[in-house]
Amino acid sequence: MSSEIPAPTEPTTDAAAEAADQHDPTAAPVERPKTTGLHVGDAKPGVAKVDPIIVADGVRRTFGGLTAVDVEHLEIPRGAITALIGPNGAGKTTLFNLLTGFDKPNEGTWTFDGKSLSGVPAFKVARLGQVRTFQLTKALGLLTVLENMKLGATGQRGERFWSSLIPALWRKQDAKIEARAMGLLAKFKLDAKAPDFAASLSGGQRKLLEMARALMSEPKLVMLDEPMAGVNPALTQSLLDHILDLKDEGMTVLFVEHDMHMVRHIADWVIVMAEGKVVAEGDPYSVMRDPAVIDAYLGAHQELDLGVVTGRVTAEEADPTTDAAASTSVDADELASAGTAEAEAEFAPDTEEKKK
Amino acid sequence: MRSPFPAVAHPPGRMIRLLGVILAVTAAMLGVFALSASPAVAAEGDPYRISGNVQLDGEPLEGVKLVIDGPGGKQEVETDENGQWRVSVPEKDDYTVTLDEETLPEGIAVVDPEDDSPDEKDVTVGAGGRVTVNFFIGEGERNVTSMWDQFIQRTVQGLNFGLMLGLAAIGLSLVFGTTGISNFAHGEMVTFGAVAASFLVSAGSLALPLWIGLPLAVVLSAGFGLLLDMGLWRPLRRKRVGVVQLMIVSIGLSLALRYTFQFFIGGGTTQLPYASAPKLNFGPVQLSWIDIASIVISIVMIIAFALWLTRSRLGKATRAISDNSSLAAASGIDVDYVVRVVWIIAGGLAGLAGVLYAYYRPGIKWDMGAQMLLLMFAAVTLGGLGTAYGALIGSLIVGVLVEVSGLWIPSDLKYAGALVILIVILLFRPQGILGRRERIG
Amino acid sequence: MDWIQILSNTASSILSPATIGYALAALGLAVHFGYAGLLNMGIAGFMAIGAYGYAISILTFDLPWWLAAMIGLVAAAIFALILGVPTLRLRGDYLAIVTIAAAEVVRLLFLTTAFDDVTGSADGLSGYHASFREANPIPPGMYGFGPWVYNENQWWVRILGLLTLAIAVLVVWMLMRSPWGRVLKGIREDEDAVRALGKNAFAYKLQALVLGGVLAAAGGIVYALPSAVSPGVYVTSLTFFVWTALLLGGAATVFGPLLGSLIFWVLQTFLSNFLPALVQAGVLPFMTQIQAGTLRFILVGVALMLLVIFMPQGILGNKKELTFVK
């Protein structure tokens, strides 16, 4: 992407400070600086980034009649922590699966580090340096914690069938991997658990193990699917610190999260999805102050049909489980008066096309 | 006339190939028998003998192939240099001897103006234990049925087979849908129905009239399903045993039941009354009244089942559980109760299929259900695992396919044909014809 | 009751080719199921291909016995590839149905009269021992002590069988301690997690399927080495018996399959001698000798159920691994 316009416009440190003061009970003792100046031009869905690591174009995935993901253009900034948020069923995890090769889109192209990933299987995506974790933790229960970690290392000679039969070929490498694994485990305070079966860990410890295991592959991009889900509050802070450390070590982080405090606290950039589309992008403070986002996507009005709010469908076609009348009235009065006119205008081209 | 080929009422006249499924399966069990030291197949040591002589104008014909079918399975024999042949058979019973006209010299056939199918003879091994069969051989037209007529006949037989397969497969599919068990013991539930029927109506046993005995056998089978659920599956559900474990438990159950049947009824084949009812001609199609009754009963039961599944509260609850068990439980459906009803229905339908299958083969054997099991899986998979209608349609396709494919491939490979189709379907459309993709993975 | 005879027969079964053949097949199944989590219900098909590959190579193509054995193993490897390439993407229980169906297709193909010249159809194949016995370095005579007295040919079969088993155990043991085995066990636990770490899960599963299939074929060859190849042996019951032996010893262990097969055959031999003797002695008046023979297969089924429910980890399995594989 072009870097002709280097200057960021909107995100300001004032806003950050202000937000940090106002709320955020989980705030770290030492607030680390946010990375700013990531995008080019106005922060709107699909905005170009100064240095994107992932660029997706026209990625669409349907399940039967339902369109789970329909992303026209999306760029993920390098060297920053990006949060992907949105209500349940917005297509966040599906997008994750598509980007990592665990699912195949009906159409669309996307690149990682300039290399096209269309049709590339998941394991090759991971080898390129893009690792992910899962929403439901996938600790390999009947392997020990240490074995879990060693599995994460790439390029192991002993993992090839024939050479695995000759220990001399892989012993040294394995010892090095083990040393690195123990180092990481110590950092994640799991070293005492190294010889135990991963099945014996608590939910939060498994999350940590999964993240540590992903780091064994020395990735460029770490994708975390709901890293905080089911984590004991006592572990939350250390998990947040680990994620912030990733950025400090030069990695890019993309994560899906429902916990807004966490998003505000650590994300440099936020992408909001709803009904499979990217509906807003920006730094955490401006996105979260966007009333449309607050109202429609963060659960203030869950009885509203998002389709009606965004003008995608008429009230008659609204989902029967929602309050169609309320949705239209919101559309007409509340949202408009609450200053969402710009936001609506930004969605407009998109929704117009959709109507046809 | 008894069909030499239990799975197909043979078309009038020359069969294309006579080696049948029964040979395959009997021989298959040879190994197991060898282990269990209870030879039930025809072998050299068998006490009774059928023999004969094949000559043309007084000259012996060598290398003419004959197939002898009856209790103990099919045997194949060739004439020696004197034109003579003999086989040993295990029981005093009815046998069918068929001469393979393709092994006769060019232009020669079995001729008998009195008989529609002179290449085939029924014999009874009686008190003497020995019987001789001779064929009239001369120049003449070989007895040939048109391909089309054979096709129609086999299609009708295939539908009959498919319907009874469907009865069994519906139960298998319901059980899978509601409990997630791939029940490898379902074949034994089929056998149970046939064995129960034999116990109730056979002359040597209780000898109840058919109209009481056969329905009672189905009721017993339903009770067997209930018993299995109460004694085994429900405790395992309580224990939250995983599906793979349940599958292997069902394999153990299948082995245990199978050999329990053998324990009680032995390795031989027994017949239900009227198993050899005469065939009636309907154009190119030959059916006995047993066949017709079987088709009618299957259709009535399937319609009744469909009504139950779609109209009754319980049926709807069953479908809800198949769809999403925890959601159904959360919305107040008593999953345990519904699953128990499913086991009862599965048992009853499997038992009915067993009774009908005993007439269709014909004969009751300890491993008859196991023969059907993979075809049931094929049918259920073809239609889409866990959907009852899919299982039915899959069964009809498998039934017709198995019978009709016998026109082109050796009949001892026709089950293999159905299994190859099963594998191919799983590869290209693992959700089956009617299944939904979400069920996969 | 002739206790000496019963116990002697039982002890003799410890070294029987059937025990060694089962141990090899169960070891192959351990690689499939215990380590890779593949639900292979077609182990009988692999054994049949090994045995038929061996016999047909000798009888039809007149090859020396060692080359014939190689061909049997290679044929099983090819079968594993044909089976695995399309099916390893399927969910576990689908794989079970596909493999059991494929094994039945294999058996029916060996059984059909269409290929009678090569396969012997229902009669099976026999009389392929000449080349194997010529290679026997043991001079003619009876050797051994106690219940283990065999002639030179019987010893030759047992020695080669045990040698094969020893090599197989060593290979599997080394593989499972290596990073390769670690990946395989990871796939068993959660395939997606392993793929997310950059491992080609499909390739590993295929390698495991081929390795286990070759071991099972070796088991099939050893099983058929002393006598004959009969299509009636390779029925689904054989698959289930091997599963029972495996689960008895411990699915995710290297020595479990050996121990399981040993116990399976020792018990089978004991019961097949003991039960009819009981009947003969009038202890089981409600049973015929034939029924007594059938009883032990009922017991196998019951044992399999009890094992899976109450001791899924097997005798040698780790108590901590109480969770059944998947």
Side-chain angles (χ1 to χ4, degrees):
Chain A
M1 263 293 137
S2 97
S3 51
E4 289 161 45
I5 315 164
T9 45
E10 277 170 24
T12 60
T13 40
D14 310 308
E18 177 195 303
D21 290 343
Q22 275 175 3
H23 25 234
D24 209 353
T26 64
V30 183
E31 185 72 58
R32 299 191 219 186
K34 296 272 181 183
T35 307
T36 54
L38 297 166
H39 64 300
V40 183
D42 286 343
K44 59 175 199 284
V47 64
K49 303 297 177 321
V50 175
D51 183 12
I53 189 164
I54 283 188
V55 180
D57 271 299
V59 174
R60 205 164 60 80
R61 175 73 169 104
T62 58
F63 296 106
L66 180 83
T67 303
V69 165
D70 187 0
V71 170
E72 272 194 12
H73 184 83
L74 181 65
E75 297 183 8
I76 309 292
R78 187 193 306 274
I81 299 177
T82 304
L84 189 57
I85 64 171
N88 287 325
K92 305 180 298 289
T93 297
T94 309
L95 181 64
F96 247 53
N97 288 342
L98 293 172
L99 293 179
T100 48
F102 277 85
D103 194 2
K104 286 195 170 58
N106 300 70
E107 55 191 66
T109 57
W110 67 106
T111 60
F112 170 71
D113 238 1
K115 285 183 275 293
S116 172
L117 287 189
S118 311
V120 176
F123 74 94
K124 283 192 182 156
V125 171
R127 283 183 194 172
L128 288 173
Q130 180 187 337
V131 299
R132 69 169 295 183
T133 65
F134 293 86
Q135 194 172 348
L136 299 168
T137 323
K138 291 181 185 294
L140 307 168
L142 296 188
L143 266 62
T144 65
V145 169
L146 182 60
E147 279 177 322
N148 261 279
M149 291 297 287
K150 287 163 88 172
L151 201 54
T154 52
Q156 298 191 45
R157 278 190 289 276
E159 286 184 355
R160 269 174 264 143
F161 183 85
W162 294 111
S163 45
S164 72
L165 286 169
I166 309 167
L169 287 179
W170 49 264
R171 271 275 156 71
K172 259 192 196 158
Q173 191 192 24
D174 204 51
K176 269 187 208 154
I177 289 169
E178 188 164 328
R180 196 154 60 85
M182 287 310 292
L184 265 173
L185 282 177
K187 192 175 160 214
F188 281 79
K189 302 208 167 54
L190 286 171
D191 43 346
K193 294 272 186 186
D196 297 357
F197 279 124
S200 68
L201 297 183
S202 73
Q205 287 173 321
R206 288 185 204 192
K207 286 268 178 202
L208 286 175
L209 172 62
E210 203 183 7
M211 199 191 293
R213 189 176 65 196
L215 298 184
M216 284 296 289
S217 67
E218 300 177 318
K220 293 178 206 158
L221 169 62
V222 183
M223 297 173 67
L224 308 168
D225 199 347
E226 302 203 11
M228 306 306 276
V231 174
N232 168 356
L235 273 174
T236 311
Q237 191 55 53
S238 99
L239 204 59
L240 288 181
D241 283 336
H242 286 308
I243 295 174
L244 287 166
D245 287 347
L246 297 183
K247 184 172 81 169
D248 293 346
E249 285 160 28
M251 285 173 246
T252 305
V253 179
L254 174 64
F255 70 99
V256 169
E257 193 47 70
H258 283 297
D259 182 339
M260 285 312 130
H261 295 307
M262 169 178 174
V263 171
R264 230 186 327 257
H265 181 40
I266 64 169
D268 303 312
W269 190 256
V270 177
I271 297 167
V272 187
M273 282 184 81
E275 298 197 325
K277 292 172 182 301
V278 175
V279 292
E281 262 193 72
D283 69 277
Y285 308 102
S286 46
V287 162
M288 283 183 197
R289 262 186 274 149
D290 183 337
V293 172
I294 296 168
D295 280 352
Y297 310 121
L298 304 185
H301 291 284
Q302 276 180 355
E303 77 280 10
L304 305 183
D305 186 320
L306 298 177
V308 177
V309 174
T310 56
R312 186 171 60 77
V313 293
T314 62
E316 291 78 32
E317 294 165 346
D319 187 325
T321 61
T322 61
D323 186 345
S327 301
T328 40
S329 66
V330 169
D331 193 19
D333 314 316
E334 276 182 66
L335 289 187
S337 62
T340 56
E342 317 136 74
E344 285 287 330
E346 279 174 13
F347 300 155
D350 193 7
T351 51
E352 283 304 315
E353 267 171 45
K354 202 70 195 176
K355 270 182 185 167
K356 291 164 197 164
Chain B
M1 186 181 63
R2 266 245 350 261
S3 163
F5 191 56
V8 198
H10 66 88
R14 188 172 65 82
M15 297 289 295
I16 290 189
R17 196 130 203 172
L18 273 168
L19 257 194
V21 177
I22 300 308
L23 166 70
V25 178
T26 329
M29 287 305 158
L30 243 172
V32 177
F33 279 120
L35 290 169
S36 63
S38 64
V41 288
E44 268 310 298
D46 285 333
Y48 311 113
R49 178 184 290 175
I50 306 173
S51 61
N53 201 335
V54 181
Q55 293 185 333
L56 177 64
D57 304 331
E59 287 293 309
L61 293 175
E62 189 185 348
V64 177
K65 214 184 256 180
L66 296 108
V67 178
I68 296 86
D69 184 32
K74 266 180 212 280
Q75 300 186 65
E76 218 182 59
V77 68
E78 282 188 17
T79 53
D80 62 15
E81 67 270 25
N82 299 320
Q84 289 174 338
W85 59 270
R86 71 188 63 79
V87 292
S88 303
V89 291
E91 286 168 50
K92 288 182 188 174
D93 207 333
D94 294 335
Y95 292 85
T96 310
V97 181
T98 310
L99 189 147
D100 185 352
E101 288 183 303
E102 291 196 354
T103 58
L104 289 173
E106 198 67 34
I108 303 299
V110 184
V111 285
D112 185 353
E114 307 275 288
D115 194 343
D116 281 344
S117 53
D119 56 331
E120 208 180 283
K121 298 211 180 274
D122 297 337
V123 296
T124 306
V125 179
R130 266 152 217 258
V131 67
T132 309
V133 189
N134 285 317
F135 291 90
F136 300 94
I137 300 206
E139 290 177 28
E141 287 283 308
R142 289 182 188 172
N143 202 334
V144 176
T145 311
S146 81
M147 193 75 164
W148 179 243
D149 284 357
Q150 286 191 46
F151 181 79
I152 303 261
Q153 166 73 21
R154 280 172 183 257
T155 306
V156 171
Q157 284 297 336
L159 287 174
N160 184 12
F161 182 47
L163 283 168
M164 68 183 69
L165 194 64
L167 287 175
I170 285 172
L172 185 66
S173 167
L174 270 190
V175 166
F176 179 84
T178 49
T179 65
I181 302 172
S182 306
N183 183 15
F184 278 71
H186 204 74
E188 276 59 43
M189 296 170 76
V190 171
T191 316
F192 182 89
V195 172
S198 164
F199 173 72
L200 291 167
V201 303
S202 282
S205 185
L206 294 183
L208 295 175
L210 283 195
W211 62 272
I212 301 177
L214 298 187
L216 204 55
V218 174
V219 171
L220 282 181
S221 305
F224 185 55
L226 173 66
L227 192 76
L228 284 180
D229 185 52
M230 281 174 28
L232 181 66
W233 300 118
R234 202 165 79 107
L236 291 185
R237 272 203 302 284
R238 287 276 157 85
K239 214 172 166 239
R240 297 195 175 280
V241 173
V243 289
V244 169
Q245 253 165 305
L246 290 175
M247 187 179 102
I248 299 177
V249 169
S250 83
I251 287 173
L253 179 65
S254 161
L255 282 177
L257 288 176
R258 197 184 296 186
Y259 289 104
T260 306
F261 295 138
Q262 197 196 11
F263 187 91
F264 286 111
I265 69 170
T269 304
T270 52
Q271 298 291 347
L272 290 174
Y274 307 107
S276 44
K279 299 275 176 189
L280 311 170
N281 277 315
F282 301 90
V285 181
Q286 283 192 317
L287 293 171
S288 69
W289 66 266
I290 291 274
D291 291 332
I292 296 167
S294 164
I295 292 175
V296 170
I297 291 171
S298 302
I299 292 177
V300 168
M301 285 310 294
I302 285 167
I303 291 175
F305 170 79
L307 288 177
W308 175 80
L309 194 65
T310 49
R311 299 286 165 84
S312 78
R313 268 181 64 91
L314 214 53
K316 285 178 188 166
T318 307
R319 286 190 298 158
I321 293 172
S322 294
D323 227 39
N324 186 333
S325 174
S326 42
L327 188 65
S331 48
I333 294 175
D334 182 351
V335 175
D336 237 25
Y337 174 68
V338 174
V339 167
R340 184 181 305 168
V341 172
V342 163
W343 274 106
I344 293 172
I345 290 176
L349 289 178
L352 177 60
V355 174
L356 299 180
Y357 190 45
Y359 279 108
Y360 181 79
R361 294 176 72 230
I364 294 167
K365 202 155 173 280
W366 61 285
D367 64 342
M368 59 187 279
Q371 299 166 17
M372 242 175 131
L373 180 72
L374 281 184
L375 293 184
M376 281 189 259
F377 272 126
V380 168
T381 319
L382 195 63
L385 277 178
T387 63
Y389 294 125
L392 179 62
I393 290 172
S395 299
L396 289 175
I397 295 174
V398 167
V400 172
L401 196 91
V402 162
E403 293 300 348
V404 172
S405 69
L407 281 175
W408 295 283
I409 59 175
S411 51
D412 54 0
L413 279 181
K414 62 182 188 176
Y415 279 15
L419 297 181
V420 168
I421 300 271
L422 158 70
I423 295 171
V424 170
I425 290 279
L426 274 179
L427 300 186
F428 293 105
R429 202 178 154 77
Q431 74 273 37
I433 297 171
L434 296 183
R436 281 170 293 161
R437 191 162 269 285
E438 299 93 275
R439 287 196 188 278
I440 308 309
Chain C
M1 205 183 311
D2 189 352
W3 277 105
I4 305 285
Q5 188 58 44
I6 291 174
L7 292 178
S8 163
N9 285 348
T10 303
S12 177
S13 70
I14 291 173
L15 275 183
S16 80
T19 306
I20 302 169
Y22 263 53
L24 277 165
L27 187 63
L29 196 56
V31 172
H32 286 167
F33 176 68
Y35 290 108
L38 302 173
L39 274 173
N40 178 9
M41 286 290 160
I43 206 79
F46 286 96
M47 293 174 77
I49 285 177
Y52 272 96
Y54 176 74
I56 290 173
S57 300
I58 293 176
L59 293 173
T60 305
F61 299 102
D62 221 10
L63 297 175
W65 70 274
W66 53 271
L67 191 57
M70 286 294 158
I71 288 176
L73 300 183
V74 170
I78 294 171
F79 179 60
L81 287 174
I82 294 173
L83 199 60
V85 167
T87 57
L88 285 179
R89 297 174 207 280
L90 296 177
R91 205 178 63 183
D93 45 356
Y94 281 80
L95 186 70
I97 294 174
V98 168
T99 46
I100 196 171
E104 276 296 280
V105 170
V106 164
R107 186 179 65 83
L108 291 172
L109 284 175
F110 285 132
L111 186 63
T112 175
T113 48
F115 312 119
D116 186 51
D117 295 345
V118 179
T119 61
S121 62
D123 300 331
L125 296 169
S126 57
Y128 44 74
H129 306 296
S131 153
F132 177 70
R133 287 179 185 167
E134 260 171 43
N136 186 358
I138 309 169
M142 301 298 284
Y143 305 90
F145 62 93
W148 299 284
V149 177
Y150 306 108
N151 70 22
E152 75 282 1
N153 287 325
Q154 288 169 324
W155 271 116
W156 182 221
V157 168
R158 282 162 177 78
I159 289 169
L160 274 184
L162 287 174
L163 204 63
T164 313
L165 185 60
I167 294 170
V169 164
L170 184 69
V171 166
V172 172
W173 183 73
M174 286 177 70
L175 279 172
M176 294 314 158
R177 290 176 72 249
S178 78
W180 186 85
R182 193 160 62 211
V183 178
L184 206 61
K185 283 182 259 184
I187 290 170
R188 175 191 72 193
E189 298 298 311
D190 195 315
E191 189 180 332
D192 278 346
V194 176
R195 284 162 72 207
L197 295 172
K199 321 289 179 197
N200 186 352
F202 175 75
Y204 282 95
K205 289 202 288 186
L206 197 58
Q207 286 169 358
L209 192 69
V210 171
L211 172 68
V214 168
L215 292 177
I221 295 174
V222 171
Y223 193 91
L225 213 46
S227 49
V229 180
S230 156
V233 169
Y234 306 99
V235 289
T236 48
S237 296
L238 173 63
T239 296
F240 300 157
F241 292 160
V242 174
W243 269 89
T244 309
L246 173 73
L247 293 173
L248 183 63
T253 61
V254 175
F255 293 95
L258 271 62
L259 183 66
S261 304
L262 193 68
I263 296 175
F264 182 90
W265 272 105
V266 166
L267 275 179
Q268 282 290 304
T269 317
F270 175 73
L271 290 176
S272 71
N273 284 279
F274 178 64
L275 290 175
L278 280 186
V279 173
Q280 212 167 17
V283 183
L284 301 170
F286 48 87
M287 228 184 263
T288 65
Q289 293 225 22
I290 291 174
Q291 285 180 320
T294 311
L295 185 60
R296 63 206 167 97
F297 293 107
I298 301 175
L299 294 177
V300 172
V302 173
L304 179 57
M305 289 162 69
L306 294 177
L307 263 176
V308 175
I309 298 170
F310 296 109
M311 206 175 66
Q313 80 277 12
I315 295 172
L316 295 184
N318 191 331
K319 274 274 165 60
K320 278 189 204 158
E321 300 182 41
L322 275 180
T323 346
F324 202 65
V325 178
K326 276 220 189 117

